[in-house]
Amino acid sequence: MKSQISGRLLLAGILAVLLVAPAAVRAQQVAATPPMGWNSWNHFNNKIDDAIVRAQADAMVSSGMRDAGYVYINIDDTWEGDRDAQGVIHSNSKFPDMKALADYVHSKGLKIGIYSSPGAKTCAGFEGSLNHEDQDAQTYAQWGFDYLKYDLCSFRDIMKTASSPEQAHQMMVDAYAKMRDAIKKTGRPMVYSFCQYGDDAVWQWGPAAGANLWRTTGDISDHYARMEEIGFAQAGLSKYAGPGHWNDPDMLEIGNGGMTTDEYKTHMSLWAILAAPLLSGNDLSQMSPNTIALLTNRDVIAVDQDPAGKQGDRVWAEGPMEIWSKPMADGSQAVGMFNRQSGPMSFSVDFAKLGFKGKVKVRDLWAGKDLGTMEGSYHATLPAHSVILLLVWAQ
Ligand code: GAL
């Protein structure tokens, strides 16, 4: 009898481990899907402070962005103050109490991110983490931070002392790995974001050096020309992305006012197909209904956040007309038809070229409309700089 019970208990225990352990392991993995949130740099630049960060957290909730999946409130450069006699970093007068700020952001059901550099100075000339990596990681953990963007900046000066490009490269890899280890020692899970502008094909070595995401380019700006230059240059990088490690073509500009609605739709659609981090870079406390609609379209976000974590890629291009596709976990494909020209263009998606045989079902994600069953191809006329984002299933 006793042995029967303990046999059952043992079986139940084994089952529980089998069922529960993978979930627990998954829960510990940061950035299982591309990180979503907000970052201060694109809109606020060096004019960021405690009150603005709190207002962004408030607006992330009240606008519905949190419920759409946005999580991180990330403070970029210019928060840094001086180090004390023990070398401990302090925030400057714009941020009187980082721990209280982190507590506030957490109380909203959100997470919070911070910024530093492996160099002596950040890009905006503030205190970097050089020779203080362990101390800084401990400070971020004590304050309650969940995310670190680590920006190469003045570390490039140190790399100039190398005797060869190979040595310079190794110095950079080591600097990023050093902060990875420092974060690990804190015991606090943090998303680790590399920002070194895509140098030295970072997608090839970034994950091993600890990156959950790595910038693949220089800075974006709120202009169609720069956004498309960056976005469409991501072709070929899809094989490097996956759960826990993502290509980062930089933050979003949606809502900052420099692009048309069609251009911002192109921006959001392309980033979703790229499984790119979706870090809004606008003032969340001053959003028009149109901006909120662009940032919170559930169908489009679902493309970006698909659990399979497969980055999409270009499948066809003819001059300014491009078709990109992203394989989804359920076997469907998200398909973007992009017109990069400054006038209208007509073209078709050939479903057979995407690997579909026979009939397909099609949904237009921005229109929020099922287009029904189709065979062969889908033809459309696209206005200047616009996109049609489809979800296509085998019938
Ligand atoms: C740049 C970085 C930007 C921003 C800025 C802050 O190097 O690419 O995203 O972080 O530094 O100074």
Side-chain angles (χ1 to χ4, degrees):
M1 179 73 171
K2 201 176 160 209
S3 76
Q4 238 179 15
I5 293 175
S6 60
R8 274 195 207 132
L9 279 176
L10 186 66
L11 191 66
I14 292 170
L15 274 176
V17 168
L18 284 176
L19 293 173
V20 174
V25 169
R26 269 203 305 279
Q28 278 173 12
Q29 182 184 27
V30 295
T33 58
M36 291 178 67
W38 168 89
N39 174 291
S40 59
W41 188 254
N42 284 358
H43 184 86
F44 292 99
N45 208 272
N46 61 351
K47 307 255 173 345
I48 187 69
D49 62 26
D50 177 284
I52 293 173
V53 172
R54 286 171 191 250
Q56 302 304 304
D58 293 346
M60 187 172 274
V61 177
S62 62
S63 64
M65 282 177 68
R66 181 190 65 183
D67 292 343
Y70 292 84
V71 175
Y72 293 97
I73 293 283
N74 291 347
I75 304 167
D76 208 281
D77 206 352
T78 80
W79 65 267
E80 307 86 344
D82 295 328
R83 293 186 184 280
D84 61 24
Q86 282 70 46
V88 175
I89 185 93
H90 293 270
S91 49
N92 59 39
S93 60
K94 298 191 299 168
F95 290 92
D97 187 341
M98 281 298 212
K99 169 101 178 68
L101 179 57
D103 288 348
Y104 182 80
V105 170
H106 289 147
S107 77
K108 300 270 156 182
L110 300 168
K111 293 184 173 172
I112 187 162
I114 200 160
Y115 167 100
S116 191
S117 168
K121 294 283 172 212
T122 67
C123 294
F126 288 72
E127 189 69 20
S129 292
L130 181 68
N131 298 329
H132 293 278
E133 294 82 0
D134 281 327
Q135 237 175 352
D136 286 0
Q138 290 295 344
T139 302
Y140 307 150
Q142 274 158 24
W143 284 340
F145 279 85
D146 310 293
Y147 186 122
L148 172 66
K149 171 173 168 183
Y150 211 41
D151 195 348
L152 192 65
C153 305
S154 67
F155 193 81
R156 282 187 291 199
D157 298 337
I158 297 174
M159 289 162 67
K160 282 186 199 139
T161 64
S163 52
S164 68
E166 290 73 24
Q167 197 197 359
H169 170 74
Q170 199 52 50
M171 288 166 86
M172 174 167 60
V173 175
D174 292 347
Y176 276 93
K178 195 169 193 181
M179 187 50 106
R180 170 201 63 198
D181 296 342
I183 292 171
K184 212 188 232 158
K185 275 186 236 160
T186 71
R188 187 174 175 88
M190 282 185 216
V191 173
Y192 188 23
S193 156
F194 287 21
C195 178
Q196 46 79 271
Y197 337 111
D199 286 357
D200 291 5
V202 59
W203 42 86
Q204 293 176 5
W205 55 268
N212 296 119
L213 60 156
W214 52 88
R215 279 269 299 276
T216 55
T217 71
D219 287 13
I220 196 166
S221 69
D222 190 19
H223 301 284
Y224 180 75
R226 180 62 178 152
M227 183 278 293
E228 69 149 9
E229 180 187 8
I230 285 177
F232 291 105
Q234 303 303 301
L237 295 184
S238 56
K239 64 172 179 279
Y240 296 103
H245 51 100
W246 308 101
N247 288 299
D248 173 12
D250 207 0
M251 303 165 296
L252 300 173
E253 291 284 4
I254 294 163
N256 281 332
M259 293 185 232
T260 66
T261 295
D262 275 341
E263 291 170 344
Y264 281 141
K265 273 188 188 165
T266 296
H267 188 5
M268 189 75 183
S269 305
L270 189 51
W271 265 236
I273 287 179
L274 293 169
L278 297 179
L279 295 169
S280 60
N282 56 321
D283 180 355
L284 304 186
S285 69
Q286 303 285 332
M287 289 193 284
S288 67
N290 186 42
T291 295
I292 295 175
L294 289 171
L295 286 171
T296 60
N297 183 302
R298 296 293 203 278
D299 284 341
V300 178
I301 288 174
V303 171
D304 182 79
Q305 294 290 300
D306 184 67
K310 293 203 170 119
Q311 179 173 333
D313 224 317
R314 180 188 282 147
V315 290
W316 177 87
E318 204 177 289
M321 302 172 284
E322 300 205 9
I323 297 174
W324 289 60
S325 130
K326 177 185 201 283
M328 302 284 280
D330 66 358
S332 63
Q333 287 183 42
V335 179
M337 300 171 73
F338 296 93
N339 173 16
R340 300 177 64 178
Q341 179 155 284
S342 50
M345 297 291 282
S346 291
F347 58 107
S348 303
V349 178
D350 183 342
F351 298 122
K353 289 216 177 106
L354 297 173
F356 291 103
K357 295 187 184 78
K359 290 187 179 147
V360 293
K361 275 199 304 189
V362 180
R363 179 172 171 82
D364 182 328
L365 300 186
W366 285 112
K369 263 197 344 223
D370 289 326
L371 303 182
T373 301
M374 296 184 189
E375 203 165 357
S377 62
Y378 175 69
H379 185 82
T381 300
L382 282 79
H385 295 176
S386 75
V387 60
I388 292 179
L389 186 60
L390 304 171
L391 195 62
V392 182
W393 300 263
Q395 175 66 318

